[in-house]
């Protein structure tokens, strides 16, 4: 068996089993979960930056939603925070690159 020691999506054990594979898992404590979410965020950012694949971008969203939920913020609340911030400070559509201020 290959060693992974990382946070995986909820259905991964089911998928491994359906393919006849074996696995070993454990449930993380709340503190461990927070640490592993941060590690997973870094991993997914690197994967997206490597190939700009939209599947990787979707993985990033999933991790972001999990981090928000772990901090007591729903997807809807997170989106409201994003919209409010965009209304106050703008987005990134205009491609503005600040050189000096």
């Amino acid at each position: 068996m290959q060693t992974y020691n990382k946070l995986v999506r909820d259905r991964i054990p089911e998928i491994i089993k359906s393919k006849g594979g074996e696995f070993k898992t454990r449930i993380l404590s709340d503190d461990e979960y927070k640490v592993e979410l941060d590690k997973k965020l870094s991993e997914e950012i690197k994967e997206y930056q490597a190939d700009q694949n939209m599947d990787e971008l979707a993985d990033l969203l999933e991790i972001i939603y999990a981090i928000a939920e772990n901090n007591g913020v729903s997807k809807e609340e997170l989106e409201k925070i994003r919209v409010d911030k965009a209304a106050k400070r703008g987005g990134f559509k205009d491609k503005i690159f600040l050189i000096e201020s």
Side-chain angles (χ1 to χ4, degrees):
M1 285 203 295
Q2 187 172 349
T3 301
Y4 290 95
N5 288 324
K6 67 179 189 175
L7 181 65
V8 295
R9 288 176 174 266
D10 299 339
R11 294 193 58 216
I12 294 302
E14 174 187 329
I15 292 167
I16 294 169
K17 186 176 181 179
S18 74
K19 294 179 179 180
E22 295 179 9
F23 58 90
K24 181 179 177 184
T25 63
R26 70 181 181 87
I27 303 302
L28 299 172
S29 70
D30 291 344
D31 289 340
E32 289 173 317
Y33 182 55
K34 183 177 168 98
V35 169
E36 293 303 318
L37 281 171
D38 285 344
K39 286 182 187 177
K40 194 69 171 178
L41 178 64
S42 295
E43 175 189 329
E44 296 300 342
I45 287 170
K46 288 175 189 171
E47 289 176 5
Y48 170 74
Q49 289 174 328
D51 62 14
Q52 307 287 301
N53 184 302
M54 290 300 108
D55 282 350
E56 299 301 340
L57 196 58
D59 288 345
L60 269 169
L61 276 176
E62 195 68 34
I63 292 297
I64 289 167
Y65 291 152
I67 291 169
E69 185 176 311
N70 194 51
N71 285 285
V73 177
S74 70
K75 290 179 193 178
E76 295 77 18
E77 290 170 303
L78 184 61
E79 179 62 9
K80 183 183 180 321
I81 293 167
R82 185 199 68 77
V83 167
D84 289 349
K85 189 164 187 177
K88 291 176 188 167
R89 303 200 55 159
F92 295 95
K93 293 178 185 174
D94 293 339
K95 304 176 189 173
I96 298 169
F97 184 78
L98 183 63
I99 297 169
E100 292 181 343
S101 174

